[in-house]
Amino acid sequence: MIKEKSKKIHKAKVARIEKVSANSYLIEIEGEISQEIKAGQFISIYCENLTFRRPFSVFSHNSGKIGILFKERGKGTKYIKSLKKDDLIDITGVFGNGFNIENKKSLLIGAGIGAAPISFLKSKLNEKNIENLFIAGFLNKNEIPSCIKADIAYTDDGSYGRKGSVITDIENIIKDYKPEIIYVCGPEIVLKTLSRIGEKYNIETQIAVEKVMACSIGVCRGCVISVRKDGNIVNAAVCKDGPVFSGSEVVWQ
Amino acid sequence: MAVINGILKTDLNGFILKNPVMTASGTFGYANEYNDFIDVENLGAIVTKAISLLPREGNKHIRIVETKAGMINSIGLENVGIEKFLSDKVPVLNANNIEFIVNIAGSTVEEYTNLAKICSSNNIKAIELNVSCPNVKTGCLEFGTDDKSLYELVSAVRNEYKGFLMVKLTPNVTSIESIGIAAEKAGADAVSAINTLKGTSIKLNIVNGKFYKTIVQGGYSGAGIKPVAINAVSRLSKVLNIPIVGIGGIEILEDILEFFAAGAEAVQIGTANFTHPDISQNLVFELEEYIVKNGFNDLTELKKELRA
C-alpha cells in the first residue's frame, strides 16, 4: 500500500532561463516545493544520460519559484543550459542543513558561483533587519552575474570593483567592519582561509562546502569530509550533515 | 497502485519475498533513508550497506567519480559496525516492515564467522557475503577470486548461520562458474552476481604546461556493466542449482526481463538508486503491470516464458 508522504522527488517546470553573465545562467523552476528553504540548502537536478544528479544551492525562492544560479562547467550544466521555458525537469530536494542565521552583525563572502547562496542569505538577513556586508569576488567583469548585488565586489584582473580576490584584504575589512559572524561560500582555499581568520579573530564562521555527490542524501558516502566532533575526528557527509559546517569543525586535508 | 497479492512472489530457496526487486548493498543505506522518496516496504528486500565487526572510517581520498554510463566508487566500506547496526538500524527496519538482507564483510574467515554468529543470535533472517574483500592471510587476495578460499569461507559461515545465506560474486575472475560452484558446494542458498568491476578513472587538467591528475581506482558500476552481468548470470545458470540474483546496470523494466531470461530469479538495483531514488519501487509496479497486461498468471509463468 502506498501512503501519502512528503516525497522529495518532483517534476518541475522551467519558468524562466536567462544568461546573466558571460558564462552563468539563472534558471527559475516551478514545482511542488512549498516548504521554507534556508540559504545554503540545495536541490539536485537530473541531467539526461548522466549518472549523477547535479546539486545546486538555491539562489532565490519567491512565490513558489526556485531560482538556481549556475556556471557552465561540464556536461550537467550544459544540459541545464539547453533547457527552455516550460520544459519539465526532474528535481530532488530540498536537501542539506543550510546556514543557521543568527542575529549578529554579519560579514557575507561569496567567491565565484559561491555568491549565489550568499546572495540568498543576504536577502534573508535583510528581511530580518540583520546588519550585513556582502563581499563577492569574480575572475573578471564579464563573469559577474547581473543578478548579484554585492556591497563590495572584487575581480581578479581589476576590471570591475577592487582588484584581487575576496581574501586579498579580508583582515583589514574585518578590523574595520567588526563582524560577529562570517558566512562563506566559495572554493576550498577561500573556505579554509576564512575558517583560519575566524579562529584568529575569534569570530564564528559558517562555511558552505562543495563536493561531487552521487546520492544527495548521505547514503553513498561519496562526499564525506573530516570534522571534529566531541574530541574525535569523524566523517560528515557534505550532502546530509552539511553543506554548511562551522569553519572551526572542518579538518582540512 | 496496490501490489496485487502474490503475483510477484519470489521464492529464493525458501526465503520468500513479496517481489523480486531488491536494492544492492551500498546504494540504499541501512534502513529507511529512502522513505523521503518511496515506501521502502514495497520493495522485495533491501540489502544493507556492508557491515563489518567494527565501525570503519572508509577511504580518505576522492571516493566517487562519474563515468560514461556509471560511476567508480572507492568508499572503503565505511560503515557503523555490526553493534550499532543492530541497536540503531534493525529496529527501524522492523518498525517499517522492511525485508532486509545484511551484507557482511571481513578480512579474515574469523571475522566473517563472528559476524555470522552475531547475525544468527540476533535472528537476522538473511545475509549476503561480500567476498570482494582482501583476505589478509593470503596476501590480500580477495576471497571471491579463489574457489578454495571461497569454499573455506562459505563453509565456515554456513556452520555458524542457519538463515538464508547468499554469496555476492565478483566478476573480476577468469571463471565465475568455478567460484559459483564453490559457493553452492559450501552450502550457500543463493548467489548474487555481479559485484563491481575493477575500474580506474584518470582526469587530466593542464595548468601552465603541467598536468594535474585526479585518479580514482575502485569499483565500476552502473548501466555500462550490464552486459558483463548478464553474461555472468547466463554462465552461472548453466552450472548452478541454487537461485541467482542478478545485479548490474539495471535501469528499466526490460533490463530486469533480460536478467530473468538469463536465469536470474530476482534482481538488485544499484547505482540507478542514486540517479532516480524512486526507481526500485517504480520497477516493482511496472513489473506487476507488465505481467497483468500481457496475460501471464504470475512472475513464475513470466520467467518460464522468458526462458523458453
Side-chain angles (χ1 to χ4, degrees), chain B residues 16-43:
Chain B
I16 311 287
L17 301 174
K18 65 185 127 190
N19 66 66
V21 180
M22 310 182 206
T23 54
S25 180
T27 66
F28 221 69
Y30 297 108
N32 59 345
E33 287 94 331
Y34 277 77
N35 266 338
D36 278 342
F37 307 102
I38 62 168
D39 294 298
V40 177
E41 69 191 67
N42 285 332
L43 303 178

PDB file of all heavy atoms in Angstrom, chain B residues 16-43:
ATOM      1  N   ILE B  16      11.280 -16.258   1.204  1.00  0.00           N
ATOM      2  CA  ILE B  16      10.167 -15.782   0.373  1.00  0.00           C
ATOM      3  C   ILE B  16      10.092 -14.261   0.384  1.00  0.00           C
ATOM      4  O   ILE B  16      10.040 -13.632   1.452  1.00  0.00           O
ATOM      5  CB  ILE B  16       8.818 -16.347   0.883  1.00  0.00           C
ATOM      6  CG1 ILE B  16       8.899 -17.872   1.099  1.00  0.00           C
ATOM      7  CG2 ILE B  16       7.682 -15.961  -0.061  1.00  0.00           C
ATOM      8  CD1 ILE B  16       8.920 -18.700  -0.143  1.00  0.00           C
ATOM      9  N   LEU B  17      10.083 -13.679  -0.817  1.00  0.00           N
ATOM     10  CA  LEU B  17       9.984 -12.224  -0.945  1.00  0.00           C
ATOM     11  C   LEU B  17       8.663 -11.870  -1.617  1.00  0.00           C
ATOM     12  O   LEU B  17       8.157 -12.639  -2.429  1.00  0.00           O
ATOM     13  CB  LEU B  17      11.128 -11.692  -1.810  1.00  0.00           C
ATOM     14  CG  LEU B  17      12.545 -11.988  -1.330  1.00  0.00           C
ATOM     15  CD1 LEU B  17      13.555 -11.512  -2.378  1.00  0.00           C
ATOM     16  CD2 LEU B  17      12.802 -11.298  -0.001  1.00  0.00           C
ATOM     17  N   LYS B  18       8.125 -10.690  -1.296  1.00  0.00           N
ATOM     18  CA  LYS B  18       6.852 -10.304  -1.936  1.00  0.00           C
ATOM     19  C   LYS B  18       7.047  -9.958  -3.408  1.00  0.00           C
ATOM     20  O   LYS B  18       6.117 -10.026  -4.198  1.00  0.00           O
ATOM     21  CB  LYS B  18       6.173  -9.183  -1.159  1.00  0.00           C
ATOM     22  CG  LYS B  18       6.888  -7.868  -1.123  1.00  0.00           C
ATOM     23  CD  LYS B  18       6.138  -6.897  -0.204  1.00  0.00           C
ATOM     24  CE  LYS B  18       7.105  -6.351   0.814  1.00  0.00           C
ATOM     25  NZ  LYS B  18       6.531  -5.608   1.875  1.00  0.00           N
ATOM     26  N   ASN B  19       8.258  -9.586  -3.769  1.00  0.00           N
ATOM     27  CA  ASN B  19       8.559  -9.356  -5.185  1.00  0.00           C
ATOM     28  C   ASN B  19      10.067  -9.494  -5.381  1.00  0.00           C
ATOM     29  O   ASN B  19      10.834  -9.519  -4.408  1.00  0.00           O
ATOM     30  CB  ASN B  19       8.022  -7.994  -5.650  1.00  0.00           C
ATOM     31  CG  ASN B  19       8.721  -6.828  -4.994  1.00  0.00           C
ATOM     32  OD1 ASN B  19       9.901  -6.610  -5.209  1.00  0.00           O
ATOM     33  ND2 ASN B  19       7.992  -6.075  -4.172  1.00  0.00           N
ATOM     34  N   PRO B  20      10.518  -9.590  -6.652  1.00  0.00           N
ATOM     35  CA  PRO B  20      11.931  -9.917  -6.892  1.00  0.00           C
ATOM     36  C   PRO B  20      12.857  -8.712  -6.960  1.00  0.00           C
ATOM     37  O   PRO B  20      14.018  -8.855  -7.365  1.00  0.00           O
ATOM     38  CB  PRO B  20      11.870 -10.613  -8.256  1.00  0.00           C
ATOM     39  CG  PRO B  20      10.768  -9.894  -8.968  1.00  0.00           C
ATOM     40  CD  PRO B  20       9.743  -9.552  -7.917  1.00  0.00           C
ATOM     41  N   VAL B  21      12.359  -7.539  -6.594  1.00  0.00           N
ATOM     42  CA  VAL B  21      13.189  -6.337  -6.739  1.00  0.00           C
ATOM     43  C   VAL B  21      13.811  -5.956  -5.393  1.00  0.00           C
ATOM     44  O   VAL B  21      13.107  -5.608  -4.451  1.00  0.00           O
ATOM     45  CB  VAL B  21      12.375  -5.154  -7.316  1.00  0.00           C
ATOM     46  CG1 VAL B  21      13.259  -3.912  -7.451  1.00  0.00           C
ATOM     47  CG2 VAL B  21      11.751  -5.533  -8.649  1.00  0.00           C
ATOM     48  N   MET B  22      15.131  -6.050  -5.351  1.00  0.00           N
ATOM     49  CA  MET B  22      15.866  -5.656  -4.144  1.00  0.00           C
ATOM     50  C   MET B  22      16.755  -4.477  -4.510  1.00  0.00           C
ATOM     51  O   MET B  22      16.919  -4.144  -5.679  1.00  0.00           O
ATOM     52  CB  MET B  22      16.779  -6.791  -3.678  1.00  0.00           C
ATOM     53  CG  MET B  22      16.131  -8.129  -3.560  1.00  0.00           C
ATOM     54  SD  MET B  22      17.395  -9.272  -2.930  1.00  0.00           S
ATOM     55  CE  MET B  22      16.756 -10.782  -3.574  1.00  0.00           C
ATOM     56  N   THR B  23      17.333  -3.890  -3.481  1.00  0.00           N
ATOM     57  CA  THR B  23      18.307  -2.828  -3.742  1.00  0.00           C
ATOM     58  C   THR B  23      19.679  -3.344  -3.345  1.00  0.00           C
ATOM     59  O   THR B  23      19.819  -4.076  -2.368  1.00  0.00           O
ATOM     60  CB  THR B  23      17.971  -1.577  -2.933  1.00  0.00           C
ATOM     61  OG1 THR B  23      17.856  -1.938  -1.559  1.00  0.00           O
ATOM     62  CG2 THR B  23      16.663  -0.967  -3.420  1.00  0.00           C
ATOM     63  N   ALA B  24      20.687  -2.972  -4.110  1.00  0.00           N
ATOM     64  CA  ALA B  24      22.029  -3.523  -3.908  1.00  0.00           C
ATOM     65  C   ALA B  24      22.749  -2.838  -2.755  1.00  0.00           C
ATOM     66  O   ALA B  24      22.547  -1.653  -2.489  1.00  0.00           O
ATOM     67  CB  ALA B  24      22.848  -3.386  -5.197  1.00  0.00           C
ATOM     68  N   SER B  25      23.601  -3.615  -2.127  1.00  0.00           N
ATOM     69  CA  SER B  25      24.384  -3.126  -0.988  1.00  0.00           C
ATOM     70  C   SER B  25      25.155  -1.852  -1.356  1.00  0.00           C
ATOM     71  O   SER B  25      25.726  -1.748  -2.435  1.00  0.00           O
ATOM     72  CB  SER B  25      25.371  -4.219  -0.572  1.00  0.00           C
ATOM     73  OG  SER B  25      26.131  -3.785   0.525  1.00  0.00           O
ATOM     74  N   GLY B  26      25.127  -0.910  -0.437  1.00  0.00           N
ATOM     75  CA  GLY B  26      25.892   0.322  -0.634  1.00  0.00           C
ATOM     76  C   GLY B  26      25.148   1.411  -1.380  1.00  0.00           C
ATOM     77  O   GLY B  26      25.620   2.536  -1.486  1.00  0.00           O
ATOM     78  N   THR B  27      23.982   1.065  -1.907  1.00  0.00           N
ATOM     79  CA  THR B  27      23.248   2.067  -2.701  1.00  0.00           C
ATOM     80  C   THR B  27      21.957   2.474  -2.024  1.00  0.00           C
ATOM     81  O   THR B  27      21.180   3.257  -2.574  1.00  0.00           O
ATOM     82  CB  THR B  27      22.893   1.534  -4.106  1.00  0.00           C
ATOM     83  OG1 THR B  27      21.955   0.455  -3.977  1.00  0.00           O
ATOM     84  CG2 THR B  27      24.130   1.039  -4.825  1.00  0.00           C
ATOM     85  N   PHE B  28      21.707   1.956  -0.829  1.00  0.00           N
ATOM     86  CA  PHE B  28      20.394   2.212  -0.228  1.00  0.00           C
ATOM     87  C   PHE B  28      20.467   2.442   1.268  1.00  0.00           C
ATOM     88  O   PHE B  28      19.453   2.430   1.959  1.00  0.00           O
ATOM     89  CB  PHE B  28      19.474   1.018  -0.546  1.00  0.00           C
ATOM     90  CG  PHE B  28      18.076   1.429  -0.906  1.00  0.00           C
ATOM     91  CD1 PHE B  28      17.816   2.084  -2.103  1.00  0.00           C
ATOM     92  CD2 PHE B  28      17.010   1.167  -0.052  1.00  0.00           C
ATOM     93  CE1 PHE B  28      16.525   2.466  -2.438  1.00  0.00           C
ATOM     94  CE2 PHE B  28      15.708   1.543  -0.386  1.00  0.00           C
ATOM     95  CZ  PHE B  28      15.468   2.201  -1.580  1.00  0.00           C
ATOM     96  N   GLY B  29      21.688   2.628   1.772  1.00  0.00           N
ATOM     97  CA  GLY B  29      21.836   2.893   3.196  1.00  0.00           C
ATOM     98  C   GLY B  29      21.550   1.662   4.028  1.00  0.00           C
ATOM     99  O   GLY B  29      21.761   0.527   3.596  1.00  0.00           O
ATOM    100  N   TYR B  30      21.082   1.894   5.225  1.00  0.00           N
ATOM    101  CA  TYR B  30      20.848   0.803   6.170  1.00  0.00           C
ATOM    102  C   TYR B  30      19.368   0.551   6.422  1.00  0.00           C
ATOM    103  O   TYR B  30      18.993  -0.494   6.902  1.00  0.00           O
ATOM    104  CB  TYR B  30      21.435   1.148   7.535  1.00  0.00           C
ATOM    105  CG  TYR B  30      22.908   1.336   7.570  1.00  0.00           C
ATOM    106  CD1 TYR B  30      23.458   2.597   7.718  1.00  0.00           C
ATOM    107  CD2 TYR B  30      23.754   0.239   7.474  1.00  0.00           C
ATOM    108  CE1 TYR B  30      24.832   2.766   7.783  1.00  0.00           C
ATOM    109  CE2 TYR B  30      25.124   0.411   7.545  1.00  0.00           C
ATOM    110  CZ  TYR B  30      25.658   1.667   7.698  1.00  0.00           C
ATOM    111  OH  TYR B  30      27.006   1.838   7.769  1.00  0.00           O
ATOM    112  N   ALA B  31      18.551   1.566   6.214  1.00  0.00           N
ATOM    113  CA  ALA B  31      17.196   1.385   6.711  1.00  0.00           C
ATOM    114  C   ALA B  31      16.217   2.188   5.866  1.00  0.00           C
ATOM    115  O   ALA B  31      15.937   1.836   4.727  1.00  0.00           O
ATOM    116  CB  ALA B  31      17.123   1.793   8.176  1.00  0.00           C
ATOM    117  N   ASN B  32      15.736   3.254   6.430  1.00  0.00           N
ATOM    118  CA  ASN B  32      14.631   3.945   5.768  1.00  0.00           C
ATOM    119  C   ASN B  32      15.052   5.264   5.132  1.00  0.00           C
ATOM    120  O   ASN B  32      14.255   6.164   4.989  1.00  0.00           O
ATOM    121  CB  ASN B  32      13.514   4.182   6.776  1.00  0.00           C
ATOM    122  CG  ASN B  32      14.010   5.017   7.938  1.00  0.00           C
ATOM    123  OD1 ASN B  32      15.209   5.164   8.120  1.00  0.00           O
ATOM    124  ND2 ASN B  32      13.094   5.575   8.694  1.00  0.00           N
ATOM    125  N   GLU B  33      16.333   5.373   4.752  1.00  0.00           N
ATOM    126  CA  GLU B  33      16.812   6.630   4.176  1.00  0.00           C
ATOM    127  C   GLU B  33      16.028   7.034   2.926  1.00  0.00           C
ATOM    128  O   GLU B  33      15.980   8.208   2.582  1.00  0.00           O
ATOM    129  CB  GLU B  33      18.300   6.541   3.832  1.00  0.00           C
ATOM    130  CG  GLU B  33      19.221   6.554   5.057  1.00  0.00           C
ATOM    131  CD  GLU B  33      19.598   5.166   5.544  1.00  0.00           C
ATOM    132  OE1 GLU B  33      18.807   4.220   5.352  1.00  0.00           O
ATOM    133  OE2 GLU B  33      20.689   5.024   6.121  1.00  0.00           O
ATOM    134  N   TYR B  34      15.453   6.064   2.240  1.00  0.00           N
ATOM    135  CA  TYR B  34      14.736   6.380   1.001  1.00  0.00           C
ATOM    136  C   TYR B  34      13.242   6.637   1.217  1.00  0.00           C
ATOM    137  O   TYR B  34      12.503   6.824   0.267  1.00  0.00           O
ATOM    138  CB  TYR B  34      14.960   5.282  -0.042  1.00  0.00           C
ATOM    139  CG  TYR B  34      16.250   5.445  -0.806  1.00  0.00           C
ATOM    140  CD1 TYR B  34      17.476   5.099  -0.242  1.00  0.00           C
ATOM    141  CD2 TYR B  34      16.272   5.980  -2.096  1.00  0.00           C
ATOM    142  CE1 TYR B  34      18.667   5.261  -0.924  1.00  0.00           C
ATOM    143  CE2 TYR B  34      17.452   6.149  -2.797  1.00  0.00           C
ATOM    144  CZ  TYR B  34      18.649   5.786  -2.205  1.00  0.00           C
ATOM    145  OH  TYR B  34      19.837   5.957  -2.896  1.00  0.00           O
ATOM    146  N   ASN B  35      12.825   6.634   2.489  1.00  0.00           N
ATOM    147  CA  ASN B  35      11.404   6.896   2.746  1.00  0.00           C
ATOM    148  C   ASN B  35      10.956   8.284   2.310  1.00  0.00           C
ATOM    149  O   ASN B  35       9.759   8.524   2.169  1.00  0.00           O
ATOM    150  CB  ASN B  35      11.080   6.701   4.231  1.00  0.00           C
ATOM    151  CG  ASN B  35      10.586   5.293   4.499  1.00  0.00           C
ATOM    152  OD1 ASN B  35      10.115   4.605   3.583  1.00  0.00           O
ATOM    153  ND2 ASN B  35      10.697   4.851   5.728  1.00  0.00           N
ATOM    154  N   ASP B  36      11.908   9.187   2.088  1.00  0.00           N
ATOM    155  CA  ASP B  36      11.545  10.507   1.567  1.00  0.00           C
ATOM    156  C   ASP B  36      11.093  10.425   0.108  1.00  0.00           C
ATOM    157  O   ASP B  36      10.573  11.398  -0.434  1.00  0.00           O
ATOM    158  CB  ASP B  36      12.749  11.459   1.641  1.00  0.00           C
ATOM    159  CG  ASP B  36      12.910  12.055   3.032  1.00  0.00           C
ATOM    160  OD1 ASP B  36      11.940  12.021   3.807  1.00  0.00           O
ATOM    161  OD2 ASP B  36      14.010  12.551   3.326  1.00  0.00           O
ATOM    162  N   PHE B  37      11.346   9.290  -0.541  1.00  0.00           N
ATOM    163  CA  PHE B  37      11.040   9.187  -1.968  1.00  0.00           C
ATOM    164  C   PHE B  37      10.010   8.108  -2.276  1.00  0.00           C
ATOM    165  O   PHE B  37       9.242   8.231  -3.225  1.00  0.00           O
ATOM    166  CB  PHE B  37      12.317   8.876  -2.757  1.00  0.00           C
ATOM    167  CG  PHE B  37      13.441   9.823  -2.479  1.00  0.00           C
ATOM    168  CD1 PHE B  37      14.477   9.466  -1.636  1.00  0.00           C
ATOM    169  CD2 PHE B  37      13.440  11.093  -3.032  1.00  0.00           C
ATOM    170  CE1 PHE B  37      15.509  10.354  -1.360  1.00  0.00           C
ATOM    171  CE2 PHE B  37      14.461  11.990  -2.753  1.00  0.00           C
ATOM    172  CZ  PHE B  37      15.494  11.619  -1.919  1.00  0.00           C
ATOM    173  N   ILE B  38      10.069   7.018  -1.523  1.00  0.00           N
ATOM    174  CA  ILE B  38       9.185   5.885  -1.805  1.00  0.00           C
ATOM    175  C   ILE B  38       8.732   5.269  -0.472  1.00  0.00           C
ATOM    176  O   ILE B  38       9.165   5.703   0.585  1.00  0.00           O
ATOM    177  CB  ILE B  38       9.907   4.781  -2.631  1.00  0.00           C
ATOM    178  CG1 ILE B  38      11.095   4.217  -1.837  1.00  0.00           C
ATOM    179  CG2 ILE B  38      10.342   5.324  -3.973  1.00  0.00           C
ATOM    180  CD1 ILE B  38      11.668   2.950  -2.429  1.00  0.00           C
ATOM    181  N   ASP B  39       7.897   4.237  -0.573  1.00  0.00           N
ATOM    182  CA  ASP B  39       7.597   3.440   0.613  1.00  0.00           C
ATOM    183  C   ASP B  39       8.458   2.185   0.513  1.00  0.00           C
ATOM    184  O   ASP B  39       8.161   1.272  -0.259  1.00  0.00           O
ATOM    185  CB  ASP B  39       6.110   3.106   0.651  1.00  0.00           C
ATOM    186  CG  ASP B  39       5.298   4.362   0.845  1.00  0.00           C
ATOM    187  OD1 ASP B  39       5.464   5.011   1.882  1.00  0.00           O
ATOM    188  OD2 ASP B  39       4.534   4.730  -0.064  1.00  0.00           O
ATOM    189  N   VAL B  40       9.535   2.196   1.274  1.00  0.00           N
ATOM    190  CA  VAL B  40      10.569   1.166   1.123  1.00  0.00           C
ATOM    191  C   VAL B  40       9.993  -0.239   1.327  1.00  0.00           C
ATOM    192  O   VAL B  40      10.460  -1.203   0.739  1.00  0.00           O
ATOM    193  CB  VAL B  40      11.758   1.454   2.076  1.00  0.00           C
ATOM    194  CG1 VAL B  40      12.817   0.367   1.986  1.00  0.00           C
ATOM    195  CG2 VAL B  40      12.383   2.804   1.755  1.00  0.00           C
ATOM    196  N   GLU B  41       8.934  -0.335   2.134  1.00  0.00           N
ATOM    197  CA  GLU B  41       8.346  -1.653   2.382  1.00  0.00           C
ATOM    198  C   GLU B  41       7.767  -2.284   1.111  1.00  0.00           C
ATOM    199  O   GLU B  41       7.488  -3.479   1.085  1.00  0.00           O
ATOM    200  CB  GLU B  41       7.240  -1.539   3.448  1.00  0.00           C
ATOM    201  CG  GLU B  41       6.030  -0.776   2.950  1.00  0.00           C
ATOM    202  CD  GLU B  41       5.040  -0.427   4.065  1.00  0.00           C
ATOM    203  OE1 GLU B  41       5.418   0.391   4.915  1.00  0.00           O
ATOM    204  OE2 GLU B  41       3.938  -0.959   4.048  1.00  0.00           O
ATOM    205  N   ASN B  42       7.579  -1.495   0.052  1.00  0.00           N
ATOM    206  CA  ASN B  42       7.078  -2.048  -1.212  1.00  0.00           C
ATOM    207  C   ASN B  42       8.121  -2.864  -1.967  1.00  0.00           C
ATOM    208  O   ASN B  42       7.795  -3.549  -2.935  1.00  0.00           O
ATOM    209  CB  ASN B  42       6.588  -0.929  -2.138  1.00  0.00           C
ATOM    210  CG  ASN B  42       5.249  -0.375  -1.688  1.00  0.00           C
ATOM    211  OD1 ASN B  42       4.457  -1.089  -1.065  1.00  0.00           O
ATOM    212  ND2 ASN B  42       4.987   0.875  -1.984  1.00  0.00           N
ATOM    213  N   LEU B  43       9.391  -2.754  -1.540  1.00  0.00           N
ATOM    214  CA  LEU B  43      10.449  -3.485  -2.241  1.00  0.00           C
ATOM    215  C   LEU B  43      10.521  -4.926  -1.750  1.00  0.00           C
ATOM    216  O   LEU B  43      10.142  -5.229  -0.609  1.00  0.00           O
ATOM    217  CB  LEU B  43      11.799  -2.800  -2.008  1.00  0.00           C
ATOM    218  CG  LEU B  43      11.847  -1.329  -2.422  1.00  0.00           C
ATOM    219  CD1 LEU B  43      13.213  -0.733  -2.107  1.00  0.00           C
ATOM    220  CD2 LEU B  43      11.524  -1.171  -3.900  1.00  0.00           C
TER     221      LEU B  43
END
